[in-house]
Amino acid sequence: MRLLSTRRRHPLMRALFLALALFAMGALYTAVAPSSSSNADGGQSTQVEEGKALYQVGCSSCHGLQGEGTSQGPTLIGVGSAAVDFQMATGRMPATAPGAQIPTKPNRYTEAEIAAIGAYIDSLGTGITIPEQGQYSMSRPQRNAFPEGTAGDAEYNAAVEEYERVVARGGELFRTNCSACHNFEGKGGALPEGKYAPSLVGVSGKHIWEAMRTGPQQMPVFSQEVITDDDARAIIAYLNELHSRPNGGLDLGGLGPVSEGFWAWVLGIGGAVAFAVWITAKGVRAK
Amino acid sequence: MSEHDTHEKSRNVIDDRHPVADPGLEPHQPRLTDIDEHAANRAERQVVLAFALVPVLAIIFVVCYFAVPKTWEVNFGPLHANALHVILGTTLGGAILLIGIGAIHWARTLMGDHEISEERHPAQSSDEARAEALEIVEKVIDESAVSRRKLIIRSLLGGVGIVAVPAVVLLADLGEWPTAARRAETIERTIWAPELKPGTNEVAKYRYIVNDITFKRIKASDLRIGQLVNAEPENLQELHGTEFNQEKAKAALVVVRMDPNSIRVPDSRKDWQVGGILAYSKICTHVGCPISLWEQQTHHLLCPCHQSTFDLGDSGVVVFGPAARSLPQLPIAVDDEGYLYATSDFTVPVGPSFFERDSTKDFRKGDN
């Protein structure tokens, strides 16, 4: 302080105080002004603009210039960004051709582009928005997340028990609500007239959540109020557990008696016939 | 030798019974192993190799049984399995297969291969033996006094016949006699039926519709168009054990919400739905499989067992498959807070047909 007081008449002091005052003013402004929301607003509106531009190139020929729908595709007003994320990130949309069912294919859009189109669709009408990770994701407790020693062991064991209880409940919910179409192993199944329920193996929890909430194609809606996020998390955790475990050998598509019977017929009876032919064949003769 | 000759002759005769001459056995041709010592030795080595691999596989089996941890997994293409199971299966299965392969190879290459034919003989006994047997039967009948004292055999047959009655009576344990009154409180009723005030026909308590598994009540405003809920009556929770399972199986429900403009609601069922929310039995009317495979765009509910298809946008009529009757619809309403409840039981019995079922009240396509 002595340094400052003795040099207070130094010509540079004026400049220093000016700089300090400006800094203090700026700091005060950033603390008080609603800068963050105004920034985000600006970002969002450019995101919506970007999304609209992408939408008009990639989607509008079937869903209409304003998302109002045409004879080729349904209206997108009020479907929400979760539907956009599900349809585009799994490669179902944009569809290459109309058909009984739109299949998945490699997705050619970046995450940011899909988010932009989602923001544009959200701006047309309120719908289901993309979920937070906590809404669909849940993982098995890890031992190293708990303290060392017997107290930590007990905590860890209790957490595992709770997790397994949730997974078992997810299994019950899955078998009641989902297995009619997606099969008890989540391997998918056939629907009338060339349609099908897709396999759930390797489908991300986020996409399963989005499909439940938005009801893509023939799939019924399972709304958040009826199948809560807790229920959805349990179902997804059950599927992850189910698909990470050994399935006991070649599962033959996990489709039940049809594929099992087919392979028993072809390999089992076919093999038995081949052996019978070998046993009774005369073989090479000397003459 | 002479017998053989006559037989050879008879074979070559063409008559009505044998329109094609029997060519007989073809002459024996020696195998490579019969004439070539090297080939025979090679075949022997192959057989011995197959047999020698058996103990090797058996030892691998035993060692792996103890040495391979149960947690090891195999991930090879579509094979995603417990390693121990794969090793035990392939070693033991391979050992048994090698025993068979060795034995058959041995028989085919080294054992004698002369074909032998053996003549069949008539199955009928000689006339003398048959006459003797008949004599014995007649003698037994005569000595048992049956031909003179007929009452004995009649009382015996009567007694044996009556013994069947206790066995038939035991069939009563299969279930209760399906009288009309008994049917009305079992297979023709579900726990959706409202609780009545004792001694009256006034409703004391309606049955709320709850989500299966979570038993949460369902708010009409929480259902979106295209939504399906697998539901049960709230009072199901009061039951336990066998009764719980039986009533759950009968009361199971699918609740769906459709755009009211895209469905046909007959005048008689105007009050059965809430703004396009309709409730149907989940039990197929064909053989009773639970069905919730619903296409939200076509409104078709498909049974996975035999492909019966019901149109939930048209009072559950059958549009495809072997089911003969429409899916029973449950009349529903909302309370002051917006929760869904059943205003009565199903108006027809749910599930597959039974002998005494009255099918006149079932909904038919075009009914109003």
Side-chain angles (χ1 to χ4, degrees):
Chain A
M1 284 316 278
R2 168 169 290 202
L3 184 78
L4 280 178
S5 56
T6 51
R7 302 269 171 96
R8 68 181 186 276
R9 303 228 179 263
H10 195 275
L12 282 179
M13 266 302 166
R14 186 177 288 182
L16 181 66
F17 274 99
L18 197 62
L20 277 176
L22 280 173
F23 180 77
M25 200 64 192
L28 200 66
Y29 178 79
T30 42
V32 175
S35 53
S36 56
S37 65
S38 71
N39 268 349
D41 265 344
Q44 206 165 17
S45 60
T46 53
Q47 197 188 22
V48 170
E49 288 302 315
E50 269 170 44
K52 187 174 182 180
L54 284 165
Y55 172 87
Q56 284 175 341
V57 173
C59 325
S60 63
S61 57
C62 297
H63 294 289
L65 278 170
Q66 310 293 330
E68 72 279 13
T70 68
S71 59
Q72 300 296 308
T75 175
L76 300 184
I77 297 169
V79 300
S81 54
V84 174
D85 187 59
F86 173 79
Q87 299 282 1
M88 297 191 69
T90 61
R92 287 180 169 84
M93 290 289 153
T96 42
Q101 181 152 349
I102 310 296
T104 57
K105 60 181 177 303
N107 162 36
R108 299 202 183 284
Y109 284 79
T110 66
E111 217 170 298
E113 285 170 331
I114 293 171
I117 297 174
Y120 170 63
I121 297 299
D122 271 340
S123 77
L124 298 178
T126 6
I128 311 287
T129 50
I130 295 175
E132 302 291 327
Q133 198 180 6
Q135 286 176 271
Y136 56 81
S137 171
M138 176 182 184
S139 48
R140 179 175 273 279
Q142 298 297 316
R143 180 65 190 89
N144 54 24
F146 293 88
E148 296 285 321
T150 48
D153 278 344
E155 253 179 75
Y156 166 72
N157 289 338
V160 167
E161 203 173 299
E162 171 62 15
Y163 172 78
E164 286 179 347
R165 197 189 58 76
V166 171
V167 167
R169 189 162 154 283
E172 259 189 300
L173 285 162
F174 180 85
R175 287 187 295 275
T176 303
N177 293 293
C178 321
S179 67
C181 304
H182 290 287
N183 149 328
F184 33 82
E185 280 193 55
K187 294 283 172 77
L191 297 179
E193 290 162 14
K195 291 165 280 188
Y196 55 89
S199 165
L200 302 179
V201 180
V203 179
S204 77
K206 186 186 180 191
H207 292 153
I208 292 176
W209 189 98
E210 288 168 344
M212 287 168 69
R213 303 316 189 200
T214 61
Q217 305 196 36
Q218 292 295 349
M219 176 165 164
V221 176
F222 295 89
S223 73
Q224 232 166 329
E225 293 81 11
V226 177
I227 302 288
T228 62
D229 279 352
D230 277 346
D231 297 340
R233 251 197 326 268
I235 291 172
I236 292 162
Y238 166 74
L239 283 173
N240 289 341
E241 283 292 320
L242 181 70
H243 294 151
S244 68
R245 289 182 182 215
N247 53 16
L250 292 168
D251 62 5
L252 309 176
L255 295 176
V258 174
S259 59
E260 284 162 21
F262 176 76
W263 286 110
W265 184 262
V266 171
L267 291 183
I269 297 186
V273 168
F275 263 96
V277 168
W278 178 56
I279 290 169
T280 54
K282 282 215 155 161
V284 182
R285 296 284 138 172
K287 209 165 131 187
Chain B
M1 196 62 204
S2 64
E3 194 187 340
H4 186 251
D5 281 345
T6 54
H7 186 73
E8 282 293 294
K9 259 183 227 154
S10 73
R11 267 184 179 175
N12 290 324
V13 170
I14 298 176
D15 57 23
D16 285 347
R17 282 186 64 214
H18 307 97
V20 177
D22 183 345
L25 292 176
E26 62 181 290
H28 178 250
Q29 301 286 352
R31 293 164 299 185
L32 209 55
T33 44
D34 291 332
I35 52 169
D36 181 358
E37 194 59 24
H38 289 296
N41 288 342
R42 191 166 61 241
E44 184 190 2
R45 281 198 303 275
Q46 286 163 346
V47 172
V48 170
L49 177 71
F51 289 154
L53 279 173
V54 173
V56 175
L57 288 173
I59 289 164
I60 296 174
F61 178 96
V62 173
V63 170
C64 287
Y65 181 83
F66 292 105
V68 174
K70 290 191 173 65
T71 50
W72 283 11
E73 289 173 18
V74 181
N75 281 304
F76 181 72
L79 186 69
H80 178 44
N82 183 301
L84 185 61
H85 294 172
V86 174
I87 294 168
L88 297 188
T90 46
T91 50
L92 193 61
I96 293 168
L97 192 67
L98 281 171
I99 293 173
I101 288 174
I104 291 167
H105 197 51
W106 176 15
R108 280 166 51 82
T109 54
L110 298 172
M111 287 184 189
D113 73 335
H114 289 273
E115 283 185 61
I116 300 163
S117 66
E118 201 175 346
E119 293 305 321
R120 268 190 236 148
H121 303 285
Q124 192 179 336
S125 305
S126 68
D127 288 345
E128 300 89 68
R130 283 150 61 86
E132 196 182 336
L134 275 175
E135 223 168 86
I136 291 168
V137 169
E138 270 161 24
K139 192 176 170 195
V140 166
I141 290 172
D142 190 47
E143 288 194 355
S144 65
V146 168
S147 48
R148 278 167 293 132
R149 303 182 188 280
K150 290 200 163 59
L151 201 57
I152 290 174
I153 197 75
R154 283 175 193 164
S155 62
L156 173 66
L157 288 176
V160 170
I162 289 298
V163 168
V165 173
V168 171
V169 165
L170 287 180
L171 295 178
D173 278 352
L174 286 176
E176 288 164 276
W177 197 253
T179 58
R182 190 69 201 142
R183 291 198 310 272
E185 60 189 71
T186 53
I187 45 178
E188 292 173 5
R189 178 185 184 277
T190 72
I191 55 171
W192 287 109
E195 192 182 310
L196 299 177
K197 285 178 188 155
T200 66
N201 262 341
E202 278 175 68
V203 173
K205 209 197 265 175
Y206 285 112
R207 305 305 187 183
Y208 277 90
I209 300 176
V210 294
N211 201 357
D212 194 2
I213 310 296
T214 63
F215 288 106
K216 251 180 58 156
R217 285 190 185 184
I218 297 164
K219 227 176 188 165
S221 58
D222 288 344
L223 300 184
R224 302 168 133 252
I225 286 177
Q227 177 138 7
L228 174 140
V229 182
N230 293 284
E232 291 285 349
E234 194 174 43
N235 47 326
L236 178 67
Q237 293 171 94
E238 297 157 15
L239 306 176
H240 300 282
T242 310
E243 207 185 359
F244 175 91
N245 286 331
Q246 284 177 345
E247 293 302 338
K248 181 176 182 177
K250 281 196 300 174
L253 202 67
V254 282
V255 181
V256 293
R257 180 166 204 163
M258 296 170 280
D259 180 357
N261 299 320
S262 69
I263 60 174
R264 182 184 167 274
V265 179
D267 291 337
S268 59
R269 294 186 169 191
K270 278 267 183 284
D271 302 334
W272 286 28
Q273 47 106 26
V274 179
I277 302 174
L278 282 76
Y280 290 93
S281 165
K282 192 178 171 176
I283 310 304
C284 183
T285 60
H286 176 222
V287 284
C289 293
I291 35 177
S292 59
L293 199 163
W294 187 58
E295 297 190 317
Q296 62 135 317
Q297 291 172 2
T298 60
H299 305 158
H300 287 175
L301 186 69
L302 176 89
C303 179
C305 294
H306 306 97
Q307 283 70 51
S308 292
T309 309
F310 304 89
D311 188 353
L312 302 195
D314 188 10
S315 302
V317 297
V318 181
V319 291
F320 183 79
R325 290 181 288 102
S326 303
L327 212 53
Q329 190 181 344
L330 185 73
I332 58 170
V334 280
D335 71 359
D336 298 340
E337 293 169 56
Y339 288 106
L340 295 170
Y341 67 90
T343 56
S344 84
D345 196 357
F346 288 102
T347 54
V348 292
V350 298
S353 298
F354 47 92
F355 194 76
E356 301 87 350
R357 192 181 183 284
D358 173 16
S359 292
T360 55
K361 287 188 204 154
D362 287 308
F363 190 90
R364 287 185 179 77
K365 191 170 174 60
D367 281 0
N368 213 347

